[in-house]
Amino acid sequence: MNILMLSSTFPYPPTRGGTQVRTFNLLKYLSQRHTVTLVTQREGDVTDAEVAGLRDCVDHLAIFERPPDSQTTGIFQKIQRFGRFLQQGTPPSVLNRYSVEMQTWVDNWVEAGKCDVITCEHSVNEIYVQSHFQKQLKTIVNVHSSVYATCRNQLATGISENSLRDKINLPLLRRYEQSYCAKFSAIVATTEEDKIQLQEFNPNGEITVIPNGVDLVSFPKRTTDPGGHRLIFIGAMDNLANIDAVCFFSNEVLPEIQKLYPDTTFDIVGSHPVSEVLALDQKPGINVIGRVPSMVKYLHQATICVVPMRTGFGIKNKTLEAMAAGIPIVASDRGLEGLAIDTANHTLRALRANKPTEYVTAISQLFDHPHLRSELSHNARQLVETEFTWDIAGKSYEQVCLGRSNTNSV
């Protein structure tokens, strides 16, 4: 097949985290078997070496400059964008990244019949797919997470950056998600929970669940347990859900743990830590490390990985990567979404916690019992090897592109 993939975020190197990991690994799998053309945007921190590295992964690479950051524009432009959201239904978060030049390129490529399939890697790219494309070729949107469900959850948990704005936006996001999904021949979600949400909007839509995966070579299982009282969180530290997670854990959980285990440390590892995260470095035992060349090195040195997410939908790469590396995990419902880890029919693969007291209990159990750490390490790695590799995800995505998807696959 000739596949046209759209990604407004630059998906290389995959260590950038977030949506780029999923995009890159699916792209890598498809490009081994099909002709892949990638259309993406370049931001200021993307190097020429990274462009060259990505170019080697695809048959054709079309790069456009990302439009100027809308956050620097004035109140009048923001009002204009909200007006368009009300009238036309497209959120400012999508319009912010919209490139007229990229749109023209996509239109011309499709009209020239140069692709059999067009995929949007994350729903923010849906804006480039015209409604009539569906008559000419297979159109797929890979919804990394439901924007409506995420906004609703942030309001419910009280972590919204601007609750008044999000209360106004919520019904508009519902309308938007329902509308854009209708343009696509097939929809891909990362979890059953997101599929249920999207199915509500599109009862007749073809929706396939394809979870995230892990590169098992990049995340080998550790050979020794370091012991001690070292906690770690990994993830991009300019992401709202991650910021909330580490602030919640640092302020409400860690001090209670340190009362019981005074030498406990907490490493926060991930790119672009914002000022709110950097300030945590002043607290006892907390180390804000930032972006590192090898995430797995830091994981292997930790006693336990915590994933105290209170919002953010979809399977978390950070959870899967820690599981693959053999690090015992204590995580919330959100951090464990899409994973069978503690049900009656499965072996125990992680410990679940949502309240501060639950985190203290679970972490104490793991600190005190090396055999439990070993059990979780083994069971979690086994789960990833059998169900959550990028090869498994890639095969499923290829079937969707070929029009042979199993809508119940997980």
Side-chain angles (χ1 to χ4, degrees):
M1 290 182 295
N2 292 308
I3 303 173
L4 177 62
M5 300 183 79
L6 308 181
S7 175
S8 60
T9 51
F10 192 83
Y12 191 88
T15 50
R16 283 178 180 270
T19 62
Q20 294 95 315
V21 176
R22 182 174 173 89
T23 300
F24 173 78
N25 283 285
L26 294 178
L27 173 157
K28 181 181 173 183
Y29 183 90
L30 292 175
S31 66
Q32 294 168 7
R33 294 156 178 79
H34 307 280
T35 301
V36 173
T37 298
L38 175 69
V39 185
T40 188
Q41 291 180 355
R42 178 177 184 170
E43 299 181 47
D45 62 346
V46 174
T47 66
D48 290 343
E50 289 170 342
V51 170
L54 182 57
R55 199 179 298 279
D56 287 342
C57 299
V58 294
D59 294 275
H60 307 287
L61 179 64
I63 301 180
F64 295 85
E65 294 298 320
R66 182 176 172 182
D69 192 340
S70 67
Q71 299 302 316
T72 62
T73 59
I75 187 68
F76 179 69
Q77 287 85 354
K78 291 180 180 180
I79 291 171
Q80 273 189 320
R81 280 192 297 273
F82 183 72
R84 286 183 65 182
F85 190 14
L86 281 171
Q87 292 179 325
Q88 300 174 17
T90 306
S93 59
V94 176
L95 294 173
N96 289 350
R97 289 180 171 269
Y98 182 67
S99 162
V100 174
E101 293 80 11
M102 187 166 155
Q103 180 73 71
T104 301
W105 192 100
V106 171
D107 291 348
N108 290 339
W109 193 264
V110 172
E111 294 305 322
K114 293 185 177 181
C115 54
D116 309 305
V117 180
I118 184 169
T119 76
C120 292
E121 303 307 317
H122 199 291
S123 57
V124 73
N125 299 285
E126 64 75 25
I127 192 169
Y128 297 105
V129 173
Q130 312 278 12
S131 296
H132 67 268
F133 284 2
Q134 203 174 151
K135 298 174 183 176
Q136 300 170 240
L137 71 166
K138 181 97 175 178
T139 54
I140 300 167
V141 60
N142 185 1
V143 182
H144 291 212
S145 60
S146 164
V147 290
Y148 167 73
T150 298
C151 181
R152 183 182 60 188
N153 179 253
Q154 288 176 354
L155 283 169
T157 54
I159 74 153
S160 169
E161 287 182 310
N162 186 328
S163 58
L164 176 60
R165 176 200 64 193
D166 287 347
K167 284 175 183 175
I168 295 170
N169 284 350
L170 191 62
L172 300 177
L173 288 172
R174 182 186 178 94
R175 181 186 68 177
Y176 164 68
E177 203 150 75
Q178 188 165 16
S179 173
Y180 85 69
C181 283
K183 295 191 296 183
F184 292 91
S185 317
I187 300 166
V188 172
T190 63
T191 66
E192 193 64 35
E193 192 168 354
D194 261 357
K195 177 183 176 178
I196 292 168
Q197 179 66 75
L198 294 165
Q199 199 92 64
E200 180 187 328
F201 297 152
N202 304 270
N204 300 317
E206 176 194 313
I207 305 177
T208 305
V209 176
I210 302 178
N212 286 341
V214 181
D215 179 345
L216 297 178
V217 175
S218 299
F219 288 88
K221 184 177 185 291
R222 72 180 177 194
T223 54
T224 57
D225 179 348
H229 303 124
R230 189 167 179 177
L231 305 174
I232 190 172
F233 176 92
I234 61 172
M237 291 320 307
D238 56 354
N239 173 278
L240 177 62
N242 290 342
I243 295 166
D244 174 74
V246 297
C247 289
F248 159 71
F249 188 84
S250 299
N251 293 323
E252 298 189 39
V253 180
L254 185 62
E256 299 305 310
I257 293 288
Q258 289 172 330
K259 287 177 184 176
L260 301 172
Y261 308 90
D263 63 337
T264 300
T265 60
F266 180 38
D267 293 341
I268 300 171
V269 184
S271 59
H272 308 299
V274 298
S275 58
E276 195 176 352
V277 174
L278 290 171
L280 297 175
D281 198 56
Q282 304 303 312
K283 290 178 175 287
I286 297 181
N287 307 301
V288 179
I289 293 167
R291 186 177 179 180
V292 295
S294 172
M295 195 74 82
V296 74
K297 173 187 171 184
Y298 283 84
L299 282 170
H300 283 176
Q301 293 169 351
T303 319
I304 301 168
C305 179
V306 293
V307 192
M309 313 297 291
R310 298 195 294 180
T311 187
F313 281 70
I315 286 185
K316 308 301 180 291
N317 288 324
K318 59 176 68 64
T319 306
L320 291 177
E321 288 167 356
M323 283 183 159
I327 318 307
I329 291 172
V330 177
S332 65
D333 292 342
R334 290 265 72 84
L336 296 171
E337 185 183 344
L339 302 172
I341 60 100
D342 55 1
T343 57
N345 299 326
H346 298 93
T347 55
L348 188 65
R349 292 151 172 165
L351 298 187
R352 189 182 300 268
N354 291 292
K355 299 174 184 176
T357 53
E358 293 170 347
Y359 280 102
V360 172
T361 299
I363 290 169
S364 297
Q365 275 186 285
L366 286 170
F367 277 168
D368 293 343
H369 298 99
H371 69 278
L372 180 57
R373 296 200 300 270
S374 177
E375 179 188 349
L376 296 189
S377 174
H378 171 77
N379 293 344
R381 172 72 184 196
Q382 195 171 53
L383 174 68
V384 172
E385 288 177 345
T386 55
E387 296 185 31
F388 296 102
T389 69
W390 285 119
D391 266 0
I392 295 170
K395 286 173 188 173
S396 299
Y397 203 43
E398 181 183 38
Q399 292 305 304
V400 174
C401 292
L402 290 166
R404 305 174 191 157
S405 63
N406 172 11
T407 54
N408 294 318
S409 68
V410 287

